[in-house]
Each structure stands twice: as C-alpha cells, then as structure tokens.
C-alpha cells in the first residue's frame, strides 16, 4: 500500500541553523500539508500546498518557514533560522482531492539545542 | 473560534472491555469529522470519516457517531485489544466557500491504555 515517507526520522540542530525536512507524498496525490506537534500537545496545522503554491498557512508559518516542491515527488519544509520552540514532531500529509482523507507520514522529530 | 475538545484526556481499561471517547467541536462551517489513531512517535492514521448527513459509521471494532446539531461525536471501541493503546484524535474539517480545500482542526486526543 502506498504511503507518505519522511526523512530524516530525527534531526538535532543548533539554534539559528537552517533545516530542511523532506517528504515524499503518495504519487497520485495533489494536496500537500505540513503539521507540527510539540511534545504533549495537539497537532497544529502549518501550511497547505496545491498546484505549486501555498493555499493556506497558519499564524505559526511565519517568514522563517517556506515550502517547496522542487520536483515531481518531493515536498520540503525549510526553517531558515531555527529557534528552541521549533522543537517538535513535523508531519507531512497528502491527499488526492480536497474532500478525501489525508494520509500522514511517520514524522520527523526535530530537536533544536 | 474554531476548537475541538476531547474527553477524557486519558483512559485506562482492561483488555476485552468497551470504551467510548467524546469529542465536542465549534468548527464552522463544518465539512467533515474524522477520528484518527496515533501510536506514540508515529503519524495519525484515519479510522473513520463522517460528513454532515452521516450519524454513524463503523470500521471493524470502531464505531463513530456524529450529532451535527449538538456538534458532538463519539468513538466507541468494542472488545479492546492491547494494540488499541494509542492516542485517539478527533479532527474536524472546515469547508471554504468556493474551494474544496478544508483546513483541519485537531483535538488534543484521548490517550487510551489497554491493560492485559
């Protein structure tokens, strides 16, 4: 069964460094999402992406964040200058159409020191 | 303000017993409601999805109900198994006028622990 994959599974970085989290959505999916989950808290929406552009972003998704679909398969989340509070699990999700179920990847656990 | 509240926060039951998890929401305009299961350190996995017109849906031992008038949903798990130990998250999608894109609002989840 096709699934969303994410790399790396874990990343440790120093505050102020740039990180790129990578996702490979399910191949025939058209809508892509990033979420984050701070330890012990609820999953929070970051951004949705469709037709090669951001369709919606939350207040969390400030100028330090960017997303890109550099080729036909990868979907990346870049954090330009990480802060301690960026430490969280980051989930990528994708779906075929706007009304269908989103399939989540296994997540990347980011730790900013 | 769009919110999703779940109760209880955590629940411990014995293997083989049934349990019911609750979800209240204020998301508007409502599109659909989903229950996800999230194992520790993993991504959420969809269990059920219900639209406005559906008031019950089953998936194996999981049965979800929806009362769109009172904006409440429940997830009933029958004959619990050790592998049911996970966080169960209620997720409500808000519709957008003129768009098929729906933003998801997550509850904090109910942490279920099944003991042998």
């Amino acid at each position: 069964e096709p699934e969303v994959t994410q790399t790396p599974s874990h990343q440790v970085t120093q505050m102020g460094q740039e990180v790129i989290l990578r996702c490979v959505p399910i191949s025939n999916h058209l809508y892509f999402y990033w979420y984050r989950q701070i330890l012990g808290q609820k999953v929070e929406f970051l951004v949705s992406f469709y037709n090669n552009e951001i369709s919606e972003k939350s207040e969390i998704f400030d100028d330090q964040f960017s997303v890109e679909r550099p080729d036909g398969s990868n979907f990346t989340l870049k954090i330009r200058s990480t802060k301690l509070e960026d430490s969280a699990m980051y989930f990528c999700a994708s779906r075929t159409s706007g009304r269908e179920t989103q399939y989540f990847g296994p997540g990347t656990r980011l730790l900013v020191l | 303000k769009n919110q999703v509240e779940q109760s209880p926060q955590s629940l411990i039951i014995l293997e083989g017993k049934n349990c019911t998890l609750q979800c209240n929401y204020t998301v508007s305009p409502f599109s659909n409601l989903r229950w996800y299961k999230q194992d520790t350190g993993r991504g959420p996995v969809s269990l059920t999805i219900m639209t406005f017109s559906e008031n019950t849906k089953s998936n194996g031992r999981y049965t979800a109900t929806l009362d769109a008038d009172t904006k409440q949903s429940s997830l009933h798990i029958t004959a619990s198994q050790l592998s049911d130990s996970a966080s169960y998250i209620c997720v409500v999608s808000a519709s957008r006028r003129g768009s098929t894109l729906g933003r998801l609002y997550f509850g904090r989840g109910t942490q279920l622990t099944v003991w042998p």
Side-chain angles (χ1 to χ4, degrees):
Chain A
E1 184 176 336
E3 57 184 17
V4 177
T5 59
Q6 292 185 241
T7 55
S9 60
H10 295 77
Q11 177 141 10
V12 181
T13 189
Q14 295 287 332
M15 189 170 58
Q17 295 295 306
E18 174 183 287
V19 296
I20 297 176
L21 310 182
R22 303 180 192 280
C23 168
V24 179
I26 296 173
S27 62
N28 63 334
H29 286 189
L30 303 175
Y31 299 79
F32 313 110
Y33 305 82
W34 282 102
Y35 297 87
R36 79 172 185 189
Q37 186 176 30
I38 296 171
L39 188 64
Q41 298 189 22
K42 67 172 71 175
V43 176
E44 299 172 290
F45 168 79
L46 291 179
V47 66
S48 58
F49 191 87
Y50 171 70
N51 200 25
N52 285 319
E53 61 183 18
I54 290 174
S55 50
E56 188 173 2
K57 58 185 180 180
S58 72
E59 53 280 357
I60 302 170
F61 195 89
D62 60 22
D63 293 343
Q64 294 299 313
F65 291 88
S66 63
V67 290
E68 200 175 40
R69 189 157 162 81
D71 52 41
S73 60
N74 291 284
F75 180 52
T76 62
L77 174 69
K78 180 191 290 185
I79 309 175
R80 289 190 184 81
S81 178
T82 51
K83 303 187 287 287
L84 297 177
E85 53 265 38
D86 292 329
S87 295
M89 182 77 108
Y90 288 81
F91 293 106
C92 171
S94 69
R95 61 180 170 184
T96 52
S97 69
R99 300 193 192 283
E100 293 302 313
T101 295
Q102 292 187 22
Y103 290 84
F104 285 78
T108 292
R109 185 170 295 283
L110 175 66
L111 178 60
V112 182
L113 301 176
Chain B
K1 185 178 181 182
N2 291 317
Q3 287 187 317
V4 179
E5 301 292 337
Q6 291 187 244
S7 63
Q9 184 175 359
S10 61
L11 182 63
I12 300 174
I13 61 173
L14 294 177
E15 186 179 14
K17 297 297 186 183
N18 304 335
C19 66
T20 301
L21 315 179
Q22 302 291 342
C23 174
N24 298 322
Y25 63 91
T26 58
V27 176
S28 181
F30 174 86
S31 176
N32 56 63
L33 184 146
R34 309 157 196 262
W35 283 92
Y36 280 85
K37 178 184 179 185
Q38 185 180 22
D39 292 309
T40 302
R42 304 298 302 267
V45 175
S46 179
L47 295 175
T48 64
I49 176 172
M50 287 183 293
T51 59
F52 186 88
S53 59
E54 298 174 298
N55 55 24
T56 188
K57 183 164 283 190
S58 292
N59 177 7
R61 294 180 297 104
Y62 302 105
T63 300
T65 66
L66 173 65
D67 186 334
D69 292 330
T70 61
K71 298 186 178 180
Q72 295 180 326
S73 175
S74 67
L75 180 69
H76 186 74
I77 305 174
T78 58
S80 60
Q81 301 175 358
L82 299 179
S83 58
D84 292 335
S85 295
S87 179
Y88 290 83
I89 305 174
C90 177
V91 183
V92 181
S93 177
S95 60
R96 290 175 61 191
R97 185 185 298 275
S99 170
T100 59
L101 297 173
R103 178 169 171 174
L104 299 185
Y105 294 87
F106 288 73
R108 289 189 178 274
T110 291
Q111 184 64 46
L112 175 66
T113 304
V114 181
W115 283 2

